Amino acid sequence: MALFWEQRFSWLYWLQARIAVRRDIHEHSCILFHRLQQPWPLSSHGPYLGQMESAVLAVAPQARIINLMNDAPFANPRASAYLLAALNNYLPENAVVVAVVDPGVGGSRKAICLNIGDRWYLGPDNGLLSLLVSNAGVENCFLAGLHESYMKAASASFHGRDVFAPVAGLLVNGQSPDTYPLPVDGMAGASWPGELAEVIYLDGFGNAMTGLRMRNLRDLQGVVVGEQLVKPAHTFSSVPAGALFCYENSLGLLEIAANGSNAGRILGLEIGSPVNPHMLPGRSKNP
């Protein structure tokens, strides 16, 4: 028991030291990346997003809230993990990221807090944050579980509002939430591959993002979707109107699109649709 309490207090002192560096920062960003448990288009309507923002501001009224997206892949933490990892490169420093794609809400999954550099990430332990760790390296990450007391006071189905958003407010204020240490390499999704040869997001135009980084596909001759080979191009204006093509999107991912048309509809794509990069003879994808 003495050893347990010694470890517990050591963890709390470490956590307070990590958070203390934020107290001299005058602008704090709270990033919301989420998908509520309704299919599109219901997820972008209703009172849910406003309640999450209000829960942050109730604790940290000075917070600068950025609603990064509220249409992450529905009930799909795996696809969302690859999307969040790609978006992470464009988030401000010293941010607190609330990531909620949580089909297991109210169940046995843990609620976790992840620290990487100057950023904090809050979300369910269902793999959603795992690619952030893979990209940063386990040795650069610190993981904690949120104490059960946060869950006892929460509704069964809206932990984004009742758990993660208030804790984000605490972190923005430079306060230490009640946590306990967890092994980083034990989090859900730790064994997922660094890249995913599947569609991970379809935007409103029918453009299909994949979980593949174009920097590892420099000898790409096209991507096979179903039985169709889609050839690469630089951008939309590089191909005729209506033509399918694949290209490196603004996040550095392989994306399938159609100039002035809907690639997802043309190819019958959905989240999880497999894609097969076609390389020069003798070359292979370098993950």
Side-chain angles (χ1 to χ4, degrees):
M1 182 63 72
L3 178 60
F4 170 81
W5 282 106
E6 181 180 349
Q7 292 173 340
R8 174 72 169 164
F9 284 126
S10 296
W11 165 255
L12 289 175
Y13 289 139
W14 174 88
L15 181 65
Q16 290 166 0
R18 296 289 298 180
I19 293 174
V21 300
R22 300 179 49 82
R23 293 180 175 158
D24 294 330
I25 301 168
H26 299 293
E27 288 192 350
H28 306 270
S29 296
C30 181
I31 314 294
L32 302 182
F33 172 98
H34 60 102
R35 177 61 179 262
L36 300 173
Q37 292 308 105
Q38 295 87 21
W40 185 90
L42 297 178
S43 62
S44 60
H45 298 284
Y48 307 106
L49 173 59
Q51 289 184 76
M52 287 183 64
E53 293 180 348
S54 295
V56 174
L57 294 174
V59 179
Q62 80 282 12
R64 180 180 61 182
I65 296 177
I66 300 172
N67 182 26
L68 184 63
M69 65 186 307
N70 60 3
D71 65 338
F74 173 61
N76 194 328
R78 188 167 183 255
S80 298
Y82 291 88
L83 182 57
L84 176 60
L87 290 165
N88 186 59
N89 297 324
Y90 300 93
L91 301 183
E93 297 298 325
N94 303 303
V96 178
V97 181
V98 178
V100 185
V101 179
D102 195 11
V105 62
S108 60
R109 64 96 183 101
K110 297 182 181 70
I112 56 176
C113 176
L114 174 68
N115 172 237
I116 304 176
D118 292 329
R119 295 191 188 123
W120 295 84
Y121 305 85
L122 295 158
D125 185 20
N126 60 7
L128 181 58
L129 305 182
S130 62
L131 269 295
L132 299 168
V133 173
S134 298
N135 291 345
V138 171
E139 67 279 3
N140 298 312
C141 304
F142 304 90
L143 184 66
L146 298 182
H147 195 272
E148 184 64 26
S149 59
Y150 291 110
M151 265 56 74
K152 288 181 179 178
S155 65
S157 60
F158 201 176
H159 286 190
R161 177 197 66 191
D162 297 338
V163 177
F164 300 117
V167 173
L170 291 176
L171 289 168
V172 166
N173 287 338
Q175 298 173 267
S176 303
D178 194 2
T179 62
Y180 57 92
L182 289 171
V184 179
D185 55 4
M187 67 190 302
S191 62
W192 289 354
E195 299 188 43
L196 190 64
E198 296 178 6
V199 173
I200 61 170
Y201 181 71
L202 283 159
D203 68 19
F205 301 101
N207 304 317
M209 294 187 195
T210 76
L212 296 173
R213 300 187 189 99
M214 279 294 287
R215 70 178 184 225
N216 296 325
L217 298 170
R218 292 309 180 193
D219 298 309
L220 184 71
Q221 296 300 292
V223 58
V224 177
V225 182
E227 297 182 355
Q228 184 163 350
L229 176 64
V230 180
K231 293 187 177 181
H234 180 62
T235 189
F236 290 82
S237 60
S238 304
V239 300
L244 290 164
F245 68 103
C246 60
Y247 75 114
E248 181 175 3
N249 72 6
S250 61
L251 297 178
L253 300 176
L254 171 67
E255 181 166 309
I256 301 165
N259 185 15
S261 191
N262 189 308
R265 189 177 301 128
I266 294 170
L267 295 169
L269 298 175
E270 59 185 13
I271 304 299
S273 292
V275 297
N276 182 20
H278 182 66
M279 312 299 291
L280 280 173
R283 302 294 179 92
S284 61
K285 184 175 82 70
N286 181 25

